[in-house]
Each structure stands twice: as structure tokens, then as C-alpha cells.
Amino acid sequence: MPTSFSRVSAADIDRQKNFCAKIKEKYTFGEKYVYMQTFGCQQNEADSEKLLYFANLAGYKQTFDQKLADLIIVNTCAVREHAELKALSITGQFKHLKEQKPDLIIAMCGCMVSQEFRKDDIKFKYPYVSFLLTTNMLWKFPEVLYNTIKTGKRQICLEMDTDYLYEGIDSARQSDFKAWVSIMNGCNNFCTYCIVPYVRGRERSRSSKDILCEVECLVKRGYKEITLLGQNVNSYSPEGEDCSFAKLLEKICAIDGDFIVRFMTSHPKDASDELIRVIAENKKIARHFHLPLQSGSDEILKKMNRRYDRKHYFELVSKIRQAVPDIAITSDIIVGFPGESDEDFEYTLDALKTVRFDNIFSFVYSPRRSTPAAAMECQIPEDVKAKRMEKLLAVQREIIPADTKNHIGKTLRVLVEGRSEVGEKLLSGRTETNKLVYFEGDDSLIGEFCNVKIERSDVFVIYGSISK
Ligand code: 5AD
Ligand code: SF4
């Protein structure tokens, strides 16, 4: 698989920062505000933080009030139709803001607008959208923003052909204690249902030196949880270095400080014995492995181009659990992939019962334009997909409470994230296994680790009290 890409030079990034300086000097004196709307995965969240950094540099302060905004950025997702429709619908709602404030700039970027056919869609149906930016061009945001303001003309052209790798763009991080660190971009796997390789390009890995430098800096600033991001972190392989993902993790764990490392997402075909050993040996790595199975049927896995079968997956899970007994394993599951028979679906239900995942993220198959699966025969009717989804959730609902009860009586280390939304407004946090925990406590604990003794459990939440 070709892995050619262009490295954006430090001088090019400086040039972009100069565009920010020019915007700040000429156009954003006084109070100007940016409103960010992000859809989709953590990678998109991480991209949004970079765009916000640029926007801040250009003189825009972040606001959570749309009405106050002078610049609105909609960072879109294309993984399922539902995500696209949501992004289009919210962009539609911004029309009246533009009518009230003609200088308002509305930008759309990310995976949805990185599809050629969407360009025309937006060009004609959303004439008040000021500019589009594909995922590979995010680093050019200041230049495109500057040209939009300066010329007053829409910038809709998309440059799709080159994949880029860049350093030197900070992030306006939305949390003071949890940080996303993107270690690679793109994907080479071409699972037949997935749009990602088409909208995020080929895999390219950042150098381990740059990643270590970023993590070190975050830890020094007091960040407690670092989540390493990539479409398939297990195939991390920086150019000109002999550094596997497992080795990268080892190097990160050697950084001094009280923090935990998470990572996502992993492809089961690439999860190595070395990686399992490194997780087992390093207490800084959170006891959570997100390992998307997608389907329990070998027939469907083949049609999905996943390049493993259920036997391989089950063996992998056994190996992981043997080496790291306290680990939580979670999965993504797709129901209603083209050609999925009742028997195929039963294999998926059987896989849920066999593995007993700590949690699953389940999706109804959504045909994506240009992907091989969208053109496959035997697309499954929506009502059948919906029924299967219901059944899947019912099976998983039986599994989770039984397993969650195992936590009762244990004392677990929890990173306190904030206040629960419901009821008594208890403190809310996550265990290393990514379980949601509610308990009484003081606001000063937010952003800190504390030990919680677990007393009772619901389906999705466990409850406890602080212990020494
Ligand atoms: N339809 C439904 N779910 C999908 N995913 C990716 N593409 C599709 C699609 N076309 C799911 C996969 C992936 C997760 C991020 O989204 O389960 O792991
Ligand atoms: Fe999509 Fe498969 Fe790549 Fe994940 S590994 S991003 S599902 S193509």
C-alpha cells in the first residue's frame, strides 16, 4: 500500500500563523467570537481544537452562544448518514443568524465536506456557507479564512489529492486534565463499509519524537489522561524510524508523572503480542482495550474486508485477558451489513455472549457513497436492521449488569471529570476500565485521581464513596 504524503514545513505553518496575525491586526479588533460545532469521533474533536487554536490566534474568542458568533465552524462527520444529516440540519439553522449578521462567516470542514459530491450540494443549497475545508487542508484554515474575509468571496474549491503531515499547530484544549493526542492520520484498511480512507487519506504517522514532546509537555502542565488517537493505532509506523505502537507506548510510559494513557482505535488484525505485553507491564496504560469486532460472522467479516475471522478474534481476546486480567474490552458492532442473514446475525449475538464485552457501540449499517459495500447486492431493509439492533441491545443489556456487579466491594482509581447531569449531582468520573462512577465529593477533586469504593451498580453507572 503506498504511503506517500507531503510533509508541511515549519515555514508553511509559520506562514499560516502570519495569516492569523494579519486577521487579528485588520479584522478582529474589538470583541470577535468563534463558535465551534463538532460532529463525530475523537479525531474530529482533536481537529476542532487545532482549528480553535488558529481562530484564537486570529483574535476570535471561543463562545458557546451561537448568537454571539462572528465565525461559526461546523466540523463534520461522514461515517453514517445520520451524522451528515445532523451537520446539514444545524448548518441550515445558521441561515437566520447570517441574515441578522451579514458579516458572519460560516465554515464547514471535516469528513463530510471532503467528499466531492458534497461540494456541489453545499455550493447550491447552502449559499450562505462562506468556505469549505477538507480534512487534509485543515492546516490551511488561516489562509482560507483570511481570503474569505479579504475578498468577501466564497472559497469552495477542494484540494483532495495530497495527504499532509504537519507539526507545530497547538490545540485550544477543551479540558484541563484530559487531552487528545493524534499520533497518525488516515487509514489504509478499506473496510468495505467505511468512508474514512476516502476522506482522511492514507496512513501517515507522526514521529515518535514529536509525540513524546507533546505528551511530556501535557504531563508537565498537569494533564492526567492522554488519549492517543488514530484510525488504527496498531499500525503506527513513522517513516525512517523503527518504532511500533507498542514501543511508542513504552516510551510514553517512561515519562515521569501521575497520568494514564488511553488509545483508540485498534484493528484486531494488527494487535500484536508485543502490544499485549507492554499493556500488561505498564501500569500507566489504562485497563481498557477498544477492539472493534464489527460482526461475529466469518462470511460478513470477509465481505467487510476485515482480514480476521471470529476464531482469531476470540483467541486475541483470550490472550489479552490472560495477560491483563483486569482489562475491559469494548467493541463496535454493525448490524444489517449487506447480505447479513439471520444466521450471520445469530453469530454476532453469539460473539457478544462469548466475549461478554464490557460495552459495545452498535451501529445500523449506513450505505456510504463510493464504498464497495454500498454497491453490494442484498442490502438489508431498514425494518430488519432496526429489529436486529433491538435484539442486539437486549442481549448486551443482559450481559452488562451481571458483569458490572463484579465491581461491588472493590476500590478503584477514578479520574474525576465533573458533576453528574442527573439527580443528586454527584461527582462523576471514569475508572481505568472506562466505567462511569458516581460518588459524593468536593468540586476540588475535579481533574484529580481518587480512590472510590464501589457499593452498588446500575446498567451503565456504578456508585461508590471516596476511600483513602
Ligand atoms: N455504517 C454503520 N457503521 C459504520 N461504521 C463505520 N462505517 C459505518 C457505516 N457505513 C462504524 C464502525 C466503526 C465505527 C467508528 O463506526 O463500527 O468502527
Ligand atoms: Fe474505517 Fe476500517 Fe479504517 Fe476503521 S480500519 S477507519 S473501520 S476503513
Side-chain angles (χ1 to χ4, degrees), residues 13 21-22 77 82 84 93 95 109 149 162 169 257 267 273 278 294 297 318 353-354 394 409 430 451 456 460 468:
I13 296 296
K22 282 202 255 182
C77 169
H82 183 62
E84 293 199 305
Q93 291 166 31
K95 184 180 178 190
C109 56
I149 302 175
T162 314
I169 308 174
H267 196 303
D273 290 350
V278 168
Q294 311 295 6
S297 151
S318 298
K353 291 174 198 161
T354 306
R430 294 239 168 218
N451 291 324
R456 65 192 170 92
F460 293 111
K468 291 279 168 240

PDB file of all heavy atoms in Angstrom, residues 13 21-22 77 82 84 93 95 109 149 162 169 257 267 273 278 294 297 318 353-354 394 409 430 451 456 460 468:
ATOM      1  N   ILE A  13       3.825  26.408   8.134  1.00  0.00           N
ATOM      2  CA  ILE A  13       2.956  26.603   9.303  1.00  0.00           C
ATOM      3  C   ILE A  13       3.121  28.043   9.821  1.00  0.00           C
ATOM      4  O   ILE A  13       2.132  28.704  10.176  1.00  0.00           O
ATOM      5  CB  ILE A  13       3.265  25.563  10.421  1.00  0.00           C
ATOM      6  CG1 ILE A  13       2.940  24.148   9.923  1.00  0.00           C
ATOM      7  CG2 ILE A  13       2.504  25.873  11.712  1.00  0.00           C
ATOM      8  CD1 ILE A  13       1.482  23.856   9.602  1.00  0.00           C
ATOM      9  N   ALA A  21      -2.124  36.439  12.260  1.00  0.00           N
ATOM     10  CA  ALA A  21      -1.689  37.760  12.758  1.00  0.00           C
ATOM     11  C   ALA A  21      -2.327  38.869  11.924  1.00  0.00           C
ATOM     12  O   ALA A  21      -2.782  39.886  12.469  1.00  0.00           O
ATOM     13  CB  ALA A  21      -0.166  37.842  12.709  1.00  0.00           C
ATOM     14  N   LYS A  22      -2.392  38.643  10.603  1.00  0.00           N
ATOM     15  CA  LYS A  22      -2.982  39.675   9.729  1.00  0.00           C
ATOM     16  C   LYS A  22      -4.477  39.847  10.014  1.00  0.00           C
ATOM     17  O   LYS A  22      -4.998  40.957  10.039  1.00  0.00           O
ATOM     18  CB  LYS A  22      -2.779  39.288   8.251  1.00  0.00           C
ATOM     19  CG  LYS A  22      -1.374  39.575   7.758  1.00  0.00           C
ATOM     20  CD  LYS A  22      -1.358  39.710   6.259  1.00  0.00           C
ATOM     21  CE  LYS A  22      -0.744  38.472   5.645  1.00  0.00           C
ATOM     22  NZ  LYS A  22      -0.616  38.487   4.211  1.00  0.00           N
ATOM     23  N   CYS A  77     -18.845  15.005  10.157  1.00  0.00           N
ATOM     24  CA  CYS A  77     -18.511  13.576  10.144  1.00  0.00           C
ATOM     25  C   CYS A  77     -19.264  12.942   8.968  1.00  0.00           C
ATOM     26  O   CYS A  77     -20.343  13.403   8.620  1.00  0.00           O
ATOM     27  CB  CYS A  77     -18.976  12.958  11.457  1.00  0.00           C
ATOM     28  SG  CYS A  77     -18.951  11.157  11.509  1.00  0.00           S
ATOM     29  N   HIS A  82     -26.714   9.552   9.215  1.00  0.00           N
ATOM     30  CA  HIS A  82     -27.319  10.313  10.303  1.00  0.00           C
ATOM     31  C   HIS A  82     -26.432  11.507  10.702  1.00  0.00           C
ATOM     32  O   HIS A  82     -26.922  12.620  10.910  1.00  0.00           O
ATOM     33  CB  HIS A  82     -27.527   9.378  11.499  1.00  0.00           C
ATOM     34  CG  HIS A  82     -28.198  10.010  12.657  1.00  0.00           C
ATOM     35  ND1 HIS A  82     -29.473  10.516  12.581  1.00  0.00           N
ATOM     36  CD2 HIS A  82     -27.763  10.248  13.921  1.00  0.00           C
ATOM     37  CE1 HIS A  82     -29.796  11.025  13.753  1.00  0.00           C
ATOM     38  NE2 HIS A  82     -28.776  10.883  14.580  1.00  0.00           N
ATOM     39  N   GLU A  84     -24.265  13.050   8.851  1.00  0.00           N
ATOM     40  CA  GLU A  84     -24.260  14.052   7.778  1.00  0.00           C
ATOM     41  C   GLU A  84     -25.533  14.891   7.844  1.00  0.00           C
ATOM     42  O   GLU A  84     -25.491  16.119   7.715  1.00  0.00           O
ATOM     43  CB  GLU A  84     -24.170  13.358   6.406  1.00  0.00           C
ATOM     44  CG  GLU A  84     -22.852  12.664   6.184  1.00  0.00           C
ATOM     45  CD  GLU A  84     -22.590  12.392   4.714  1.00  0.00           C
ATOM     46  OE1 GLU A  84     -23.436  11.755   4.049  1.00  0.00           O
ATOM     47  OE2 GLU A  84     -21.544  12.820   4.229  1.00  0.00           O
ATOM     48  N   GLN A  93     -29.871  25.743  10.190  1.00  0.00           N
ATOM     49  CA  GLN A  93     -30.361  26.638  11.254  1.00  0.00           C
ATOM     50  C   GLN A  93     -29.519  27.908  11.391  1.00  0.00           C
ATOM     51  O   GLN A  93     -29.962  28.886  11.976  1.00  0.00           O
ATOM     52  CB  GLN A  93     -30.370  25.905  12.584  1.00  0.00           C
ATOM     53  CG  GLN A  93     -31.417  24.805  12.657  1.00  0.00           C
ATOM     54  CD  GLN A  93     -31.162  23.885  13.834  1.00  0.00           C
ATOM     55  OE1 GLN A  93     -30.635  24.302  14.861  1.00  0.00           O
ATOM     56  NE2 GLN A  93     -31.508  22.621  13.676  1.00  0.00           N
ATOM     57  N   LYS A  95     -28.690  29.783   9.002  1.00  0.00           N
ATOM     58  CA  LYS A  95     -29.065  30.734   7.949  1.00  0.00           C
ATOM     59  C   LYS A  95     -29.640  32.024   8.551  1.00  0.00           C
ATOM     60  O   LYS A  95     -29.286  33.127   8.137  1.00  0.00           O
ATOM     61  CB  LYS A  95     -30.104  30.072   7.030  1.00  0.00           C
ATOM     62  CG  LYS A  95     -30.490  30.919   5.862  1.00  0.00           C
ATOM     63  CD  LYS A  95     -31.510  30.197   5.007  1.00  0.00           C
ATOM     64  CE  LYS A  95     -31.940  31.086   3.859  1.00  0.00           C
ATOM     65  NZ  LYS A  95     -33.076  30.517   3.149  1.00  0.00           N
ATOM     66  N   CYS A 109     -16.078  22.099   7.585  1.00  0.00           N
ATOM     67  CA  CYS A 109     -14.851  21.357   7.301  1.00  0.00           C
ATOM     68  C   CYS A 109     -15.045  19.911   7.741  1.00  0.00           C
ATOM     69  O   CYS A 109     -16.120  19.533   8.186  1.00  0.00           O
ATOM     70  CB  CYS A 109     -13.682  22.010   8.022  1.00  0.00           C
ATOM     71  SG  CYS A 109     -13.948  22.163   9.763  1.00  0.00           S
ATOM     72  N   ILE A 149     -12.360  36.657   4.233  1.00  0.00           N
ATOM     73  CA  ILE A 149     -12.669  37.975   4.815  1.00  0.00           C
ATOM     74  C   ILE A 149     -12.234  39.069   3.841  1.00  0.00           C
ATOM     75  O   ILE A 149     -12.970  40.018   3.578  1.00  0.00           O
ATOM     76  CB  ILE A 149     -11.946  38.181   6.167  1.00  0.00           C
ATOM     77  CG1 ILE A 149     -12.325  37.083   7.165  1.00  0.00           C
ATOM     78  CG2 ILE A 149     -12.289  39.552   6.755  1.00  0.00           C
ATOM     79  CD1 ILE A 149     -11.566  37.140   8.479  1.00  0.00           C
ATOM     80  N   THR A 162      -3.682  15.498  -2.202  1.00  0.00           N
ATOM     81  CA  THR A 162      -2.471  15.258  -1.414  1.00  0.00           C
ATOM     82  C   THR A 162      -2.813  15.047   0.060  1.00  0.00           C
ATOM     83  O   THR A 162      -3.633  15.764   0.625  1.00  0.00           O
ATOM     84  CB  THR A 162      -1.529  16.482  -1.519  1.00  0.00           C
ATOM     85  OG1 THR A 162      -1.452  16.846  -2.880  1.00  0.00           O
ATOM     86  CG2 THR A 162      -0.159  16.170  -0.982  1.00  0.00           C
ATOM     87  N   ILE A 169       1.091  22.924  15.095  1.00  0.00           N
ATOM     88  CA  ILE A 169      -0.171  23.613  15.362  1.00  0.00           C
ATOM     89  C   ILE A 169      -0.623  23.187  16.759  1.00  0.00           C
ATOM     90  O   ILE A 169      -0.905  22.010  16.984  1.00  0.00           O
ATOM     91  CB  ILE A 169      -1.258  23.252  14.328  1.00  0.00           C
ATOM     92  CG1 ILE A 169      -0.742  23.448  12.912  1.00  0.00           C
ATOM     93  CG2 ILE A 169      -2.526  24.081  14.577  1.00  0.00           C
ATOM     94  CD1 ILE A 169      -1.702  22.984  11.829  1.00  0.00           C
ATOM     95  N   GLY A 257       5.589  11.216  35.964  1.00  0.00           N
ATOM     96  CA  GLY A 257       4.346  11.937  36.266  1.00  0.00           C
ATOM     97  C   GLY A 257       3.201  10.987  36.539  1.00  0.00           C
ATOM     98  O   GLY A 257       3.249   9.809  36.173  1.00  0.00           O
ATOM     99  N   HIS A 267      -7.197  -2.155  15.380  1.00  0.00           N
ATOM    100  CA  HIS A 267      -7.739  -3.161  14.454  1.00  0.00           C
ATOM    101  C   HIS A 267      -7.280  -4.546  14.929  1.00  0.00           C
ATOM    102  O   HIS A 267      -6.085  -4.748  15.139  1.00  0.00           O
ATOM    103  CB  HIS A 267      -7.217  -2.876  13.046  1.00  0.00           C
ATOM    104  CG  HIS A 267      -7.988  -3.581  11.973  1.00  0.00           C
ATOM    105  ND1 HIS A 267      -8.136  -4.942  11.957  1.00  0.00           N
ATOM    106  CD2 HIS A 267      -8.663  -3.116  10.899  1.00  0.00           C
ATOM    107  CE1 HIS A 267      -8.881  -5.295  10.912  1.00  0.00           C
ATOM    108  NE2 HIS A 267      -9.209  -4.193  10.247  1.00  0.00           N
ATOM    109  N   ASP A 273       1.412  -9.332  19.934  1.00  0.00           N
ATOM    110  CA  ASP A 273       1.784  -9.880  21.250  1.00  0.00           C
ATOM    111  C   ASP A 273       2.614  -8.858  22.013  1.00  0.00           C
ATOM    112  O   ASP A 273       2.509  -8.735  23.226  1.00  0.00           O
ATOM    113  CB  ASP A 273       2.606 -11.169  21.073  1.00  0.00           C
ATOM    114  CG  ASP A 273       1.731 -12.296  20.546  1.00  0.00           C
ATOM    115  OD1 ASP A 273       0.489 -12.116  20.518  1.00  0.00           O
ATOM    116  OD2 ASP A 273       2.288 -13.340  20.152  1.00  0.00           O
ATOM    117  N   VAL A 278       3.263  -5.077  26.532  1.00  0.00           N
ATOM    118  CA  VAL A 278       3.522  -3.705  27.014  1.00  0.00           C
ATOM    119  C   VAL A 278       2.366  -3.214  27.895  1.00  0.00           C
ATOM    120  O   VAL A 278       2.591  -2.577  28.926  1.00  0.00           O
ATOM    121  CB  VAL A 278       3.783  -2.762  25.811  1.00  0.00           C
ATOM    122  CG1 VAL A 278       3.760  -1.305  26.246  1.00  0.00           C
ATOM    123  CG2 VAL A 278       5.123  -3.094  25.171  1.00  0.00           C
ATOM    124  N   GLN A 294     -17.025  -5.707  14.845  1.00  0.00           N
ATOM    125  CA  GLN A 294     -17.916  -5.338  13.726  1.00  0.00           C
ATOM    126  C   GLN A 294     -18.975  -6.397  13.431  1.00  0.00           C
ATOM    127  O   GLN A 294     -20.151  -6.075  13.320  1.00  0.00           O
ATOM    128  CB  GLN A 294     -17.155  -4.984  12.437  1.00  0.00           C
ATOM    129  CG  GLN A 294     -16.010  -3.983  12.597  1.00  0.00           C
ATOM    130  CD  GLN A 294     -16.437  -2.580  13.021  1.00  0.00           C
ATOM    131  OE1 GLN A 294     -17.600  -2.333  13.307  1.00  0.00           O
ATOM    132  NE2 GLN A 294     -15.481  -1.666  13.102  1.00  0.00           N
ATOM    133  N   SER A 297     -19.870 -12.920  12.270  1.00  0.00           N
ATOM    134  CA  SER A 297     -19.972 -13.926  11.206  1.00  0.00           C
ATOM    135  C   SER A 297     -18.749 -13.867  10.286  1.00  0.00           C
ATOM    136  O   SER A 297     -18.410 -12.801   9.759  1.00  0.00           O
ATOM    137  CB  SER A 297     -21.244 -13.655  10.388  1.00  0.00           C
ATOM    138  OG  SER A 297     -21.070 -14.096   9.054  1.00  0.00           O
ATOM    139  N   SER A 318      -8.762 -13.837  24.389  1.00  0.00           N
ATOM    140  CA  SER A 318      -8.249 -14.725  25.448  1.00  0.00           C
ATOM    141  C   SER A 318      -6.835 -14.338  25.831  1.00  0.00           C
ATOM    142  O   SER A 318      -6.494 -14.276  27.025  1.00  0.00           O
ATOM    143  CB  SER A 318      -8.210 -16.186  24.982  1.00  0.00           C
ATOM    144  OG  SER A 318      -9.480 -16.600  24.695  1.00  0.00           O
ATOM    145  N   LYS A 353     -22.207 -12.965  23.504  1.00  0.00           N
ATOM    146  CA  LYS A 353     -22.334 -13.828  24.692  1.00  0.00           C
ATOM    147  C   LYS A 353     -21.000 -14.500  25.010  1.00  0.00           C
ATOM    148  O   LYS A 353     -20.681 -14.750  26.173  1.00  0.00           O
ATOM    149  CB  LYS A 353     -23.415 -14.887  24.446  1.00  0.00           C
ATOM    150  CG  LYS A 353     -24.814 -14.283  24.376  1.00  0.00           C
ATOM    151  CD  LYS A 353     -25.835 -15.348  23.988  1.00  0.00           C
ATOM    152  CE  LYS A 353     -27.118 -14.732  23.499  1.00  0.00           C
ATOM    153  NZ  LYS A 353     -27.947 -15.662  22.711  1.00  0.00           N
ATOM    154  N   THR A 354     -20.237 -14.814  23.982  1.00  0.00           N
ATOM    155  CA  THR A 354     -18.951 -15.491  24.200  1.00  0.00           C
ATOM    156  C   THR A 354     -17.933 -14.537  24.817  1.00  0.00           C
ATOM    157  O   THR A 354     -17.264 -14.861  25.793  1.00  0.00           O
ATOM    158  CB  THR A 354     -18.398 -16.032  22.851  1.00  0.00           C
ATOM    159  OG1 THR A 354     -19.402 -16.846  22.270  1.00  0.00           O
ATOM    160  CG2 THR A 354     -17.122 -16.826  23.037  1.00  0.00           C
ATOM    161  N   ALA A 394     -30.700  -5.788  23.428  1.00  0.00           N
ATOM    162  CA  ALA A 394     -31.320  -6.587  24.504  1.00  0.00           C
ATOM    163  C   ALA A 394     -30.315  -7.621  25.019  1.00  0.00           C
ATOM    164  O   ALA A 394     -30.186  -7.825  26.236  1.00  0.00           O
ATOM    165  CB  ALA A 394     -32.586  -7.257  23.988  1.00  0.00           C
ATOM    166  N   GLY A 409     -17.705  -3.745  46.060  1.00  0.00           N
ATOM    167  CA  GLY A 409     -16.738  -4.123  47.099  1.00  0.00           C
ATOM    168  C   GLY A 409     -15.307  -3.767  46.736  1.00  0.00           C
ATOM    169  O   GLY A 409     -14.439  -3.706  47.601  1.00  0.00           O
ATOM    170  N   ARG A 430     -14.401   8.396  35.726  1.00  0.00           N
ATOM    171  CA  ARG A 430     -14.246   7.152  34.966  1.00  0.00           C
ATOM    172  C   ARG A 430     -13.137   6.310  35.588  1.00  0.00           C
ATOM    173  O   ARG A 430     -12.084   6.828  35.954  1.00  0.00           O
ATOM    174  CB  ARG A 430     -13.855   7.442  33.521  1.00  0.00           C
ATOM    175  CG  ARG A 430     -14.933   8.154  32.768  1.00  0.00           C
ATOM    176  CD  ARG A 430     -15.381   7.371  31.552  1.00  0.00           C
ATOM    177  NE  ARG A 430     -16.599   7.971  31.041  1.00  0.00           N
ATOM    178  CZ  ARG A 430     -17.624   7.300  30.545  1.00  0.00           C
ATOM    179  NH1 ARG A 430     -17.595   5.975  30.509  1.00  0.00           N
ATOM    180  NH2 ARG A 430     -18.683   7.905  30.083  1.00  0.00           N
ATOM    181  N   ASN A 451      -9.535   7.414  44.889  1.00  0.00           N
ATOM    182  CA  ASN A 451      -9.970   6.022  45.043  1.00  0.00           C
ATOM    183  C   ASN A 451     -11.425   5.991  45.487  1.00  0.00           C
ATOM    184  O   ASN A 451     -11.808   6.713  46.407  1.00  0.00           O
ATOM    185  CB  ASN A 451      -9.102   5.303  46.077  1.00  0.00           C
ATOM    186  CG  ASN A 451      -7.690   5.114  45.562  1.00  0.00           C
ATOM    187  OD1 ASN A 451      -7.485   4.879  44.368  1.00  0.00           O
ATOM    188  ND2 ASN A 451      -6.710   5.250  46.438  1.00  0.00           N
ATOM    189  N   ARG A 456     -22.717  -0.036  44.767  1.00  0.00           N
ATOM    190  CA  ARG A 456     -23.852  -0.601  44.021  1.00  0.00           C
ATOM    191  C   ARG A 456     -23.687  -0.279  42.539  1.00  0.00           C
ATOM    192  O   ARG A 456     -22.819   0.535  42.172  1.00  0.00           O
ATOM    193  CB  ARG A 456     -25.186  -0.073  44.565  1.00  0.00           C
ATOM    194  CG  ARG A 456     -25.399   1.408  44.382  1.00  0.00           C
ATOM    195  CD  ARG A 456     -26.602   1.902  45.200  1.00  0.00           C
ATOM    196  NE  ARG A 456     -26.649   3.337  45.207  1.00  0.00           N
ATOM    197  CZ  ARG A 456     -27.319   4.082  44.326  1.00  0.00           C
ATOM    198  NH1 ARG A 456     -28.005   3.499  43.358  1.00  0.00           N
ATOM    199  NH2 ARG A 456     -27.306   5.394  44.400  1.00  0.00           N
ATOM    200  N   PHE A 460     -25.452   1.212  33.443  1.00  0.00           N
ATOM    201  CA  PHE A 460     -24.322   1.936  32.871  1.00  0.00           C
ATOM    202  C   PHE A 460     -23.491   2.714  33.888  1.00  0.00           C
ATOM    203  O   PHE A 460     -22.484   3.298  33.522  1.00  0.00           O
ATOM    204  CB  PHE A 460     -24.815   2.893  31.775  1.00  0.00           C
ATOM    205  CG  PHE A 460     -25.368   2.152  30.590  1.00  0.00           C
ATOM    206  CD1 PHE A 460     -26.725   2.183  30.306  1.00  0.00           C
ATOM    207  CD2 PHE A 460     -24.536   1.394  29.784  1.00  0.00           C
ATOM    208  CE1 PHE A 460     -27.235   1.476  29.222  1.00  0.00           C
ATOM    209  CE2 PHE A 460     -25.033   0.681  28.704  1.00  0.00           C
ATOM    210  CZ  PHE A 460     -26.395   0.721  28.420  1.00  0.00           C
ATOM    211  N   LYS A 468      -9.654   6.095  51.139  1.00  0.00           N
ATOM    212  CA  LYS A 468      -8.225   6.521  51.168  1.00  0.00           C
ATOM    213  C   LYS A 468      -7.408   5.649  50.223  1.00  0.00           C
ATOM    214  O   LYS A 468      -7.659   4.498  50.040  1.00  0.00           O
ATOM    215  CB  LYS A 468      -7.684   6.379  52.596  1.00  0.00           C
ATOM    216  CG  LYS A 468      -8.309   7.382  53.533  1.00  0.00           C
ATOM    217  CD  LYS A 468      -7.638   8.769  53.425  1.00  0.00           C
ATOM    218  CE  LYS A 468      -8.448   9.804  54.139  1.00  0.00           C
ATOM    219  NZ  LYS A 468      -8.975  10.909  53.449  1.00  0.00           N
TER     220      LYS A 468
END
